[in-house]
Amino acid sequence: MSIKNSNFESVSTYLVGNKYYIPDYQREYAWDEEQLDDFWRDLIQVVSNETSEHFLGQIVVHNDDGEKYIIDGQQRTITAVIFLAAIRNLFRELKGTDGKILEDAETDADDIQTKYIGRYTATRDQRQLMLRQEDGRFFGDFIQSSKLDETNYDKKSSSQKRLKNAYKYFYDKLSKEIVGLTGLEAYKLILDNYLNNFIQKFSVMTVQKYLGATQTIHTGRVVG
């Protein structure tokens, strides 16, 4: 196994136009409130100009026959997508506030969906992050589809509960920031302070590796 290349890049560059798989052997989603608090504090420091940027961490990716498997950094990657999903849903809720249609909010929600998350409907599966099997369907239905659908998950696993709690954590934090604002004010605040700062000023170091001729990787892909 050898390093092919490594790059420092923004969260936007890391996520846009890439499809990643998390192999089955990787641990389940494990971030709880302590790690989420750290993430939020780091974001607030950038928002408040205490720091000009934030290094989110290293992401190690195996390239195997043109497909990309995250072997280190899956927790940060999953959390990034959850945070973006919370912004996407808030934008969609804001589009009809104040008796106005905020077309830009809907457009930006669609951009988040297509650029960073991927379309996921009953007839289309273009998800850009495929989790390990135990969590993949729940993540798709609850986070990536934008429907917050947990109909078929009466008995959630501990990792599924953490995925849901992470979404609720970010949604609640962002909602508190816009209390008392008009729809347009709320949209601009989330766009400028939270979305743009996160995708542009949070960075990762991606390390691309390739497998030797005799090596294989267990994909843990989700089917259906």
Side-chain angles (χ1 to χ4, degrees):
M1 187 184 303
S2 304
I3 293 177
K4 190 175 182 181
N5 58 64
S6 60
N7 295 291
F8 282 94
E9 54 192 11
S10 67
V11 165
S12 178
T13 301
Y14 167 57
L15 292 177
V16 168
N18 290 303
K19 182 169 186 175
Y20 297 104
Y21 297 91
I22 295 177
D24 244 6
Y25 63 76
Q26 293 289 353
R27 65 174 177 156
E28 63 186 15
Y29 185 67
W31 277 25
D32 56 23
E33 191 163 346
E34 180 181 356
Q35 288 80 31
L36 298 174
D37 280 340
D38 288 341
F39 180 102
W40 184 257
R41 279 194 295 268
D42 292 335
L43 178 61
I44 293 301
Q45 287 182 336
V46 174
V47 169
S48 62
N49 293 316
E50 292 180 43
T51 58
S52 60
E53 58 186 15
H54 175 70
F55 177 58
L56 189 57
Q58 176 177 279
I59 310 291
V60 180
V61 179
H62 276 169
N63 281 295
D64 184 14
D65 196 24
E67 294 184 339
K68 299 177 180 181
Y69 303 98
I70 299 174
I71 61 167
D72 184 39
Q74 72 273 16
Q75 303 288 321
R76 293 183 288 275
T77 303
I78 293 169
T79 304
V81 172
I82 293 173
F83 177 70
L84 290 167
I87 293 179
R88 172 203 62 195
N89 287 354
L90 276 171
F91 278 169
R92 286 181 172 157
E93 291 174 14
L94 288 170
K95 70 175 183 179
T97 56
D98 299 334
K100 302 175 182 178
I101 300 298
L102 297 178
E103 293 182 0
D104 285 347
E106 179 68 13
T107 298
D108 286 332
D110 287 342
D111 283 347
I112 292 170
Q113 185 73 53
T114 55
K115 290 181 178 179
Y116 306 114
I117 299 174
R119 300 287 183 187
Y120 185 48
T121 66
T123 59
R124 182 184 301 179
D125 188 350
Q126 298 173 339
R127 288 174 289 173
Q128 293 172 210
L129 179 62
M130 305 297 284
L131 271 59
R132 58 200 299 274
Q133 283 188 324
E134 289 185 11
D135 298 328
R137 289 187 179 87
F138 178 78
F139 192 67
D141 291 340
F142 191 78
I143 300 294
Q144 291 165 303
S145 72
S146 80
K147 294 181 179 179
L148 303 182
D149 185 2
E150 51 185 323
T151 305
N152 299 317
Y153 304 94
D154 291 335
K155 296 182 178 179
K156 297 180 184 66
S157 67
S158 58
S159 57
Q160 289 169 353
K161 290 176 182 177
R162 284 190 288 269
L163 289 167
K164 179 182 177 179
N165 290 341
Y167 172 83
K168 187 176 185 302
Y169 177 94
F170 291 128
Y171 181 88
D172 289 348
K173 286 286 190 183
L174 291 165
S175 296
K176 288 178 182 178
E177 295 296 314
I178 59 176
V179 170
L181 301 181
T182 66
L184 184 59
E185 291 169 341
Y187 161 68
K188 288 184 175 179
L189 184 143
I190 294 175
L191 175 69
D192 295 335
N193 287 10
Y194 296 96
L195 177 60
N196 288 340
N197 275 318
F198 178 62
I199 62 176
Q200 296 172 7
K201 297 182 180 180
F202 270 50
S203 64
V204 298
M205 183 177 77
T206 56
V207 179
Q208 304 280 341
K209 295 188 176 184
Y210 65 90
L211 299 176
T214 60
Q215 294 175 297
T216 59
I217 190 167
H218 190 318
T219 65
R221 294 189 195 175
V222 177
V223 178

